[in-house]
Amino acid sequence: MYKFDPFAIPFLIGFAFVIGWVIVRMIQIFIGMPKKDKKRVFVNIFTFKTVRGIGEIISEVLIHHRIWRENKLLGFMHMSFALGWFLLIVTGWIESSLRANGETLPIWQHIFYKYFFPGEHVFRLSDVIKQLMDLWLAVILLGQLIAVLKRFFYRRAGIKIRTRHSRMNRIALTALWFIFPLRLLAESCTASLYGGGGFLTGSLGQLIAWIGDASFITYPMWWAYSIALGVFFCVLPFSRYLHIPVEAFLILARRWRVSDITTINRLETMACSACGMCLSDCPLARNNIAGVQPVYFIERLRDGKATTDDAWKCLQCGRCQQICPVRVHANNLRQELKGSTDRVEFGLDTHKRVLAKRVTLFSGCMGKLTPRTKAAMEKILNAAGVEQTWIDEERDLCCGRPLRFNGNQNTANQKFNELHDAILETRPDAIVTTCPICFNMMKNRFETIPVYHHTDYIRMLIEAKRIDLERSEETLTYHDPCELSRQAEYARQPLKVLNRVGTMLQPEETGEKTRCCGGAVAAIGLNNSERKTLAQETADYLSNRNADKIVTACPLCKKTIAQRSKRPVADFAEIVADALVERE
Amino acid sequence: MKQFGYTTLTKKSVNIYETDTSLWKELSAANPEFKGCLSCGACTAACPINNSGTTLNNRRTIIELNRGMAITSDAANCQMCNRCSLVCPKGLNTRRIFFELIRKRTEEKQ
Ligand code: SF4
Ligand code: SF4
Ligand code: SF4
Ligand code: SF4
């Protein structure tokens, strides 16, 4: 039953092109990987990790679970396209294979099954499959309807700021939007001539047959459908739809523990779907300061046209990467642009947690500007009977992170080594810093010694009952520092401690969704008034809840907010120190 | 009391016909905020690098740029910690002066 028709050519060209392109690119990336990571791929490929990876591919590439979590409507829209199309292909393949009854069919006879096998066919499950095919098509068309309406009523869809797409993306989008209505028409016209089809194409076919003779447009419809597919596939590698194949590879690479930052960066650059989720909550977008959000920045990066603003205006607050459904680490991409090739890990220090006897404390550059935090820490540690050494009391040391943010990794490393050696000289059992920026730089970098942020350490002291706290009547608003809540993924716990000493009045965007205070050590390219706007916005936002005090856990946040807010700002340690109960 | 690590400028005369203020014009055109500097010195007083005995000096650099004098600070010493901006009464992005100087130098090298 081998048949061919020239209308399938555009589809075949596009399909071959896209498959070839993706394979070549992925092989290139694989070759470019360092030996260590290649080995990891081979070691991990036949393990459970791959199975888990496939599970994640299903939940992210097809179901779009992370988008669902943020926005149900958008989640459904993305899922209807991805999962709907996938099921359409799979079910269609089953349908044509069953019909072929053991014969192997060439790919175009699977894809354009209804053209090559028009009319009613009866085989096992044919009735169910027929209806299923139409159901999937209906789901996709519904998703598409939402997509079209979303263009006009984007605010209703929960999108605060709309993405402006590049020309390539618009071409691809247009082609994509043509594919399914054309398929519907082509199949319905065929059904109007030969019968067959399910509840959608079949009924529409009957309607067309009732209106008139569709024989003259049926064949052109199939051509149009094939051309739409071909165009879509041909522009796919140069548009945002590249994320469809690449995201799957990215998920697998992560599961296989590929650690080379350049490899992951390349994959992430291609895996961004330009969905625009990162746009809505970026302070720079909200205040119309700069269009450097990942959705635009990555697009420029792909074309090799990243601007100086992309590098120097972003606060690197990480709000965008926290919300990103693909988990694109835009901060790493930006750091690469600035010439820094190592990354800062997420999470806390992974060493065994100990309530040390001797701790070395580090205020950091910013911490030197907030002496009250230091005094409060001294009070708390004295009460708990911990022996303390403040490493930068007499001299200034720097963790090097600010330099890294500003493009000088070598000097940054020197600075860090200086700090590292100075701390080791004091022979501590644990290291505590009151600055989350320093904390992220220091964690896991002191061979066997655990590093804590002071919020974490204080919490441990409280849990071990080394200090007692007393509740007061104060109302508090806690501001999560970006570096602590997002980079160190330490968001809920400080709130629990504060809940014991006062009444918390939290704003809506809190925890890992916190707003940047505007002080960020990156973003050297922002000028005076832009910084002011950002800091003012956040200060007002935090003051809105009318709490007696704003509490934060970062010296930079504290200084920045205090300069703009009418309410007093205190560090976490100050609040705890005030609530301390003396023991006899 | 901490020694601020700088002394007031020794008496110097500047011949305005011989100085070259093109760099200042360029930098202040791109960052007009620098024109608002009060020369108060808070930034320098807070700067850890200045305090550790180097010549890095924001206030002085702005003055030198403005007058077209030779720059005595080594911009590469700045650790970009942002302390200077936080203490600046005008909230100026003071470290950017050094950032721009570094950038200019790397551009010239290329
Ligand atoms: S970076 Fe993430 S959130 Fe932003 S457009 Fe790309 S995929 Fe979407
Ligand atoms: S890191 Fe922050 S400032 Fe930069 S693009 Fe993301 S949300 Fe915007
Ligand atoms: S950013 Fe540079 S100039 Fe400013 S205080 Fe820090 S080291 Fe000094
Ligand atoms: S603190 Fe600000 S105003 Fe004062 S000298 Fe420095 S930059 Fe100028």
Side-chain angles (χ1 to χ4, degrees):
Chain A
M1 258 188 322
Y2 179 89
K3 271 190 247 164
F4 181 74
D5 195 288
F7 87 82
I9 291 175
F11 159 75
L12 288 173
I13 292 175
F15 186 68
F17 175 71
V18 77
I19 297 282
W21 198 95
V22 170
I23 290 176
V24 169
R25 277 304 269 146
M26 290 306 122
I27 289 177
Q28 270 177 356
I29 285 191
F30 183 77
I31 291 172
M33 261 160 44
K35 262 217 183 77
K36 189 179 74 187
D37 282 320
K38 280 185 194 153
K39 223 165 130 194
R40 281 204 187 140
V41 170
F42 286 122
V43 169
N44 289 329
I45 197 162
F46 296 113
T47 61
F48 201 60
K49 293 195 176 85
T50 310
V51 182
R52 296 252 281 279
I54 291 171
E56 193 184 335
I57 290 174
I58 292 171
S59 97
E60 287 313 317
V61 181
L62 294 180
I63 300 177
H64 290 94
H65 172 240
R66 288 190 202 119
I67 303 185
W68 272 98
R69 253 191 345 211
E70 291 294 335
N71 183 330
K72 299 267 178 311
L73 193 68
L74 286 187
F76 176 77
M77 189 192 92
H78 283 90
M79 186 188 78
S80 68
F81 270 99
L83 189 63
W85 202 359
F86 177 75
L87 288 174
L88 202 59
I89 295 168
V90 172
T91 321
W93 205 276
I94 296 172
E95 183 180 32
S96 45
S97 305
L98 287 176
R99 168 67 184 77
N101 209 1
E103 260 182 88
T104 36
L105 293 178
I107 177 169
W108 55 87
Q109 276 179 297
H110 284 291
I111 298 294
F112 303 111
Y113 168 74
K114 292 270 170 60
Y115 175 84
F116 290 103
F117 302 93
E120 197 76 62
H121 296 271
V122 180
F123 45 88
R124 196 151 53 90
L125 294 178
S126 63
D127 268 344
V128 183
I129 290 179
K130 184 172 81 182
Q131 301 300 350
L132 272 185
M133 286 298 281
D134 273 16
L135 179 63
W136 305 146
L137 189 58
V139 167
I140 298 176
L141 288 169
L142 183 61
Q144 185 164 356
L145 188 68
I146 297 173
V148 175
L149 291 177
K150 190 192 86 175
R151 297 266 124 188
F152 300 104
F153 307 105
Y154 58 96
R155 273 177 201 285
R156 282 276 175 79
I159 300 168
K160 289 175 218 144
I161 305 168
R162 233 163 94 181
T163 320
R164 288 184 309 274
H165 287 300
S166 68
R167 174 134 39 89
M168 250 332 173
N169 283 344
R170 287 204 298 264
I171 295 174
L173 182 73
T174 315
L176 180 65
W177 279 10
F178 268 110
I179 289 175
F180 299 102
L182 282 174
R183 176 177 176 136
L184 177 69
L185 286 177
E187 290 192 348
S188 303
C189 287
T190 309
S192 82
L193 299 178
Y194 303 95
F199 68 91
L200 192 63
T201 50
S203 332
L204 194 59
Q206 279 169 13
L207 186 70
I208 293 171
W210 179 75
I211 293 170
D213 179 15
S215 53
F216 68 101
I217 62 161
T218 308
Y219 189 56
M221 277 299 162
W222 283 104
W223 262 98
Y225 173 47
S226 169
I227 289 172
L229 281 172
V231 170
F232 178 69
F233 285 141
C234 281
V235 293
L236 184 139
F238 315 105
S239 75
R240 65 204 192 105
Y241 298 101
L242 183 58
H243 82 274
I244 303 171
V246 176
E247 191 183 348
F249 287 98
L250 174 66
I251 289 172
L252 288 176
R254 284 187 188 140
R255 290 279 172 185
W256 293 334
R257 303 272 180 277
V258 172
S259 64
D260 178 44
I261 185 77
T262 340
T263 307
I264 297 288
N265 280 356
R266 289 294 72 69
L267 283 172
E268 285 186 353
T269 314
M270 292 190 273
C272 164
S273 62
C275 64
M277 306 260 298
C278 48
L279 205 50
S280 295
D281 292 306
C282 170
L284 298 179
R286 204 167 43 222
N287 293 297
N288 255 327
I289 289 177
V292 300
Q293 295 71 31
V295 54
Y296 299 133
F297 156 60
I298 292 175
E299 193 173 289
R300 286 190 285 266
L301 205 61
R302 272 190 205 170
D303 301 344
K305 287 189 205 138
T307 62
T308 45
D309 277 4
D310 285 333
W312 306 113
K313 279 212 164 173
C314 165
L315 300 158
Q316 294 195 224
C317 66
R319 181 73 170 96
C320 49
Q321 56 182 28
Q322 186 269 327
I323 204 170
C324 172
V326 187
R327 297 265 159 92
V328 172
H329 297 104
N331 281 356
N332 287 344
L333 297 176
R334 262 186 244 269
Q335 284 298 97
E336 194 184 20
L337 194 65
K338 295 175 178 185
S340 172
T341 47
D342 61 355
R343 64 180 142 182
V344 172
E345 295 163 39
F346 286 88
L348 295 173
D349 190 286
T350 51
H351 287 106
K352 188 165 174 278
R353 308 187 129 242
V354 287
L355 262 183
K357 260 177 85 177
R358 289 151 50 89
V359 292
T360 292
L361 292 110
F362 179 55
S363 310
C365 306
M366 290 299 147
K368 298 288 281 270
L369 292 179
T370 53
R372 278 190 203 178
T373 309
K374 178 169 178 265
M377 270 316 276
E378 280 169 348
K379 188 175 163 196
I380 296 168
L381 295 185
N382 283 337
V386 179
E387 203 182 308
Q388 42 184 313
T389 318
W390 288 81
I391 188 76
D392 55 347
E393 201 163 27
E394 289 303 320
R395 57 170 164 166
D396 282 295
L397 288 160
C398 177
C399 67
R401 193 115 194 264
L403 267 175
R404 244 166 243 261
F405 275 135
N406 291 294
N408 190 344
Q409 199 181 329
N410 291 340
T411 322
N413 286 338
Q414 280 169 24
K415 297 262 174 204
F416 180 80
N417 291 340
E418 243 174 75
L419 172 69
H420 181 260
D421 297 345
I423 289 185
L424 284 194
E425 260 171 42
T426 62
R427 305 191 168 283
D429 304 328
I431 301 162
V432 176
T433 172
T434 53
C435 174
I437 306 170
C438 303
F439 170 72
N440 282 319
M441 197 67 242
M442 289 159 70
K443 67 187 178 196
N444 290 336
R445 288 188 199 227
F446 286 85
E447 297 78 36
T448 54
I449 311 169
V451 181
Y452 301 103
H453 184 250
H454 69 309
T455 48
D456 194 12
Y457 194 69
I458 292 174
R459 188 177 66 101
M460 280 165 58
L461 289 177
I462 296 171
E463 276 173 8
K465 304 229 180 317
R466 295 276 288 274
I467 49 174
D468 301 319
L469 301 184
E470 184 181 47
R471 214 183 152 74
S472 74
E473 293 301 304
E474 262 181 337
T475 49
L476 307 167
T477 296
Y478 177 64
H479 166 72
D480 290 86
C482 313
E483 289 278 343
L484 191 63
S485 61
R486 283 195 281 265
Q487 192 70 43
E489 292 172 345
Y490 190 73
R492 306 272 167 227
Q493 293 89 334
L495 214 58
K496 280 190 195 140
V497 174
L498 291 172
N499 255 326
R500 292 165 64 160
V501 295
T503 315
M504 300 308 296
L505 296 172
Q506 286 305 93
E508 201 180 317
E509 290 174 38
T510 181
E512 56 285 331
K513 290 191 190 303
T514 184
R515 290 189 174 186
C516 174
C517 68
V521 264
I524 199 163
L526 288 179
N527 64 30
N528 214 355
S529 60
E530 288 165 339
R531 283 252 184 208
K532 261 184 206 158
T533 314
L534 293 170
Q536 191 66 55
E537 190 202 18
T538 308
D540 291 345
Y541 185 67
L542 292 168
S543 311
N544 264 346
R545 296 299 317 263
N546 284 326
D548 297 333
K549 270 187 195 155
I550 296 172
V551 190
T552 186
C554 167
L556 183 53
C557 294
K558 185 183 168 188
K559 287 300 279 184
T560 315
I561 298 168
Q563 281 171 1
R564 304 265 149 233
S565 119
K566 287 183 215 79
R567 296 188 186 278
V569 184
D571 190 90
F572 181 85
E574 291 171 54
I575 300 291
V576 173
D578 286 348
L580 270 186
V581 192
E582 297 276 333
R583 284 185 185 173
E584 280 83 49
Chain B
M1 246 329 257
K2 220 169 176 106
Q3 283 297 311
F4 283 167
Y6 67 92
T7 46
T8 43
L9 288 174
T10 45
K11 217 168 140 200
K12 259 187 198 162
S13 55
V14 176
N15 184 343
I16 55 164
Y17 297 107
E18 281 174 9
T19 53
D20 174 16
T21 52
S22 58
L23 188 56
W24 170 251
K25 282 191 186 124
E26 193 188 323
L27 287 183
S28 62
N31 312 283
E33 56 185 84
F34 290 140
K35 289 184 191 153
C37 172
L38 306 166
S39 299
C40 67
C43 47
T44 311
C47 174
I49 297 297
N50 181 284
N51 287 345
S52 65
T54 67
T55 54
L56 193 79
N57 188 327
N58 316 48
R59 166 184 167 274
R60 192 165 177 160
T61 307
I62 296 177
I63 294 174
E64 283 165 351
L65 278 168
N66 192 344
R67 294 189 185 161
M69 294 156 71
I71 291 165
T72 46
S73 300
D74 183 1
N77 278 334
C78 169
Q79 65 186 21
M80 297 289 162
C81 64
N82 208 12
R83 233 199 252 179
C84 44
S85 309
L86 278 180
V87 297
C88 175
K90 303 273 278 179
L92 303 185
N93 189 356
T94 313
R95 61 186 176 143
R96 181 140 171 210
I97 276 282
F98 295 128
F99 177 74
E100 297 287 355
L101 288 176
I102 295 169
R103 193 151 79 177
K104 272 206 82 61
R105 203 163 52 199
T106 37
E107 268 167 24
E108 274 161 21
K109 264 189 208 156
Q110 278 160 8

